[in-house]
Amino acid sequence: MSDTSSNTSLLYRIVNDKEMRSVAIQVITIALLFAFLFYVVRNAMVNLEAIGKGYSFKFLSEASNYDINQTLIEYNSRSPHYRAAMVGILNTLLVAVTGVVIATALGFVLGVLRLSTNWLINRTVYVYIEYVRNVPVLLHILLMHGIVVNTLPVPKNAMNFADGTFFLTNRGFYTPKPLFEPAMWAVFITLFIAVCFAWWFRRYAQKVQDQTGKAYPVFWIGLAAMVLGPTLVYFLAGSPMTFEYAALKGFNFKGGLVIRPEFIALTLALSLYTAAFIAEIVRAGIQAISHGQTEAAYALGIKPGRTMSLVVIPQALRVIIPPLSSQYLNITKNSSLAIAIGYMDIVATIGGISLNQTGREMECMTIVLALYLSFSLMISGFMNWYNKKMKLVER
């Protein structure tokens, strides 16, 4: 009798108590969601077993039997599929990081120019932004690839820079390839120490300026440490680096370091496309700052350029950073369109050729989805950390 009354009392609380009802609904919803996911996964595994495929990642150790035209690590057609996946991951990260850097720099410049009082500059940037934003990114990629491949000369008529050091053709941009000797590690270690010193000195100089008002030339001192230190160690170690130069042999160049036209076209297309969105974010962030801040800076005799960099932009960053995270996520995910022009990223390697050769569509798509999810979570986590660091600290 007591058990029945306690159950009735609990049911009464769940129905009538707002907090208990809310918790119960959430628990039931999560339980139903997990039950549905379990059913889908279980059903997929049973169906795969029925056709003799199963669910296994053993295929990753088998030979891939296909070539990749751009690799950042050693790879050939006899390498296993997991090696091909690593090449695809590095190629994706290379495009994403390069694109983020270029898009951010270009987007900030366009955003500032969008507010220019010069009518011609303002309207030109406006037309560019509206054109780029309203055309699908895939069309930009195809257009840029067509421009790169069809306008650049063939290897026989390559554009020559620096007396045969650099060559630009429709098959890629050829540069000298650095060859490191063992002593080069000393130079890298010195560079790392110099970067750490520059970071420490920046914090120290900021602390001194806050306490005394004295300003150090932080940029020039940090730059001198990162340039002079490694350069000195490089010569003391006997110049432990040589270069391999590209040379025309037959119908194409051999040797050196080549940047493929697919990478150039994809990076430029994604950067120019995303920069248009970043420009509007920067414009909105700058306009969100009260005009009184600018007038106060002018009243103190600060020049317009310094006012923008020291007064407006630092405050605008608190408005710019949150939507900027979405653009960094977009440029990373949009890189999956690389397969349209033959750039070998994750989708083209493990999610494309490896999938077709092995017939392991479930496993390959699981890997691709997990990788993109990991990239997105890492970018979101970093940007959230940076946003918290930049926000105003209330007293």
Side-chain angles (χ1 to χ4, degrees):
M1 186 71 178
S2 60
D3 292 342
T4 304
S5 63
S6 62
N7 291 337
T8 304
S9 175
L10 179 61
L11 182 61
Y12 177 82
R13 288 183 59 194
I14 293 175
V15 173
N16 294 280
D17 187 278
K18 186 177 180 180
E19 268 189 47
M20 289 286 292
R21 187 168 64 248
S22 176
V23 171
I25 291 173
Q26 292 180 55
V27 170
I28 294 172
T29 303
I30 294 174
L32 291 175
L33 178 61
F34 275 100
F36 175 74
L37 292 175
F38 176 79
Y39 168 77
V40 171
V41 173
R42 176 63 180 168
N43 190 52
M45 295 182 68
V46 169
N47 291 336
L48 289 173
E49 291 287 351
I51 60 176
K53 292 182 69 172
Y55 187 81
S56 172
F57 292 94
K58 292 181 180 180
F59 74 95
L60 291 174
S61 59
E62 300 173 0
S64 58
N65 297 317
Y66 63 90
D67 292 317
I68 299 177
N69 59 1
Q70 177 172 314
T71 62
L72 297 178
I73 58 176
E74 187 177 348
Y75 173 86
N76 56 57
S77 60
R78 296 184 298 275
S79 300
H81 286 287
Y82 74 81
R83 191 77 174 179
M86 292 175 61
V87 172
I89 292 171
L90 292 176
N91 285 348
T92 299
L93 291 176
L94 179 63
V95 168
V97 173
T98 307
V100 162
V101 173
I102 297 175
T104 302
L106 182 59
F108 265 81
V109 172
L110 292 175
V112 174
L113 293 179
R114 179 71 176 82
L115 298 172
S116 173
T117 55
N118 185 300
W119 185 88
L120 181 60
I121 294 176
N122 186 300
R123 292 297 94 185
T124 301
V125 174
Y126 171 76
V127 170
Y128 166 79
I129 291 174
E130 291 303 314
Y131 160 72
V132 171
R133 292 175 69 195
N134 290 285
V135 175
V137 63
L138 179 58
L139 296 183
H140 285 296
I141 294 173
L142 295 174
L143 174 63
M144 189 60 66
H145 184 254
I147 293 173
V148 171
V149 172
N150 294 305
T151 60
L152 294 178
V154 296
K156 185 178 179 180
N157 302 319
M159 299 172 65
N160 186 342
F161 302 97
D163 195 22
T165 304
F166 302 92
F167 299 94
L168 181 61
T169 77
N170 62 357
R171 296 189 183 179
F173 181 55
Y174 293 84
T175 67
K177 180 181 180 180
L179 302 175
F180 302 127
E181 298 177 8
M184 193 65 188
W185 281 107
V187 180
F188 290 140
I189 293 173
T190 305
L191 178 60
F192 175 76
I193 294 173
V195 171
C196 292
F197 167 78
W199 175 80
W200 170 83
F201 183 75
R202 179 178 176 274
R203 294 173 63 88
Y204 170 76
Q206 184 64 49
K207 182 179 180 181
V208 171
Q209 186 175 6
D210 292 342
Q211 293 177 349
T212 65
K214 182 179 180 180
Y216 289 102
V218 176
F219 174 78
W220 294 111
I221 292 177
L223 182 63
M226 290 186 287
V227 173
L228 297 179
T231 302
L232 179 63
V233 174
Y234 174 80
F235 287 110
L236 290 176
S239 303
M241 182 175 67
T242 56
F243 292 94
E244 175 187 290
Y245 294 91
L248 182 63
K249 296 180 180 179
F251 296 102
N252 201 1
F253 284 89
K254 302 293 182 182
L257 182 67
V258 58
I259 303 175
R260 298 291 178 183
E262 292 80 15
F263 170 76
I264 297 173
L266 181 65
T267 303
L268 287 178
L270 292 178
S271 300
L272 294 175
Y273 179 77
T274 309
F277 290 88
I278 293 178
E280 286 296 275
I281 293 172
V282 172
R283 179 188 64 80
I286 293 175
Q287 289 184 326
I289 305 304
S290 172
H291 191 61
Q293 298 285 324
T294 305
E295 293 175 341
Y298 290 164
L300 293 174
I302 303 176
K303 296 180 179 179
R306 299 289 287 174
T307 298
M308 180 65 70
S309 62
L310 297 178
V311 178
V312 178
I313 294 296
Q315 297 181 76
L317 281 176
R318 299 179 178 92
V319 181
I320 293 171
I321 291 174
L324 200 62
S325 305
S326 298
Q327 298 307 317
Y328 290 167
L329 291 171
N330 287 340
I331 202 170
T332 303
K333 291 182 286 188
N334 286 339
S335 67
S336 61
L337 298 171
I339 194 173
I341 58 173
Y343 182 75
M344 302 298 285
D345 68 333
I346 299 172
V347 176
T349 54
I350 197 68
I353 302 177
S354 292
L355 185 153
N356 291 326
Q357 286 189 355
T358 62
R360 294 287 180 175
E361 63 280 349
M362 291 290 293
E363 293 88 338
C364 290
M365 284 297 101
T366 300
I367 294 173
V368 173
L369 292 173
L371 288 172
Y372 276 109
L373 177 61
S374 301
F375 294 157
S376 297
L377 291 177
M378 285 189 290
I379 293 172
S380 298
F382 173 78
M383 293 303 293
N384 287 337
W385 168 81
Y386 188 64
N387 186 40
K388 289 181 180 179
K389 182 180 178 182
M390 295 299 297
K391 72 178 182 180
L392 289 171
V393 180
E394 298 180 359
R395 294 182 179 179

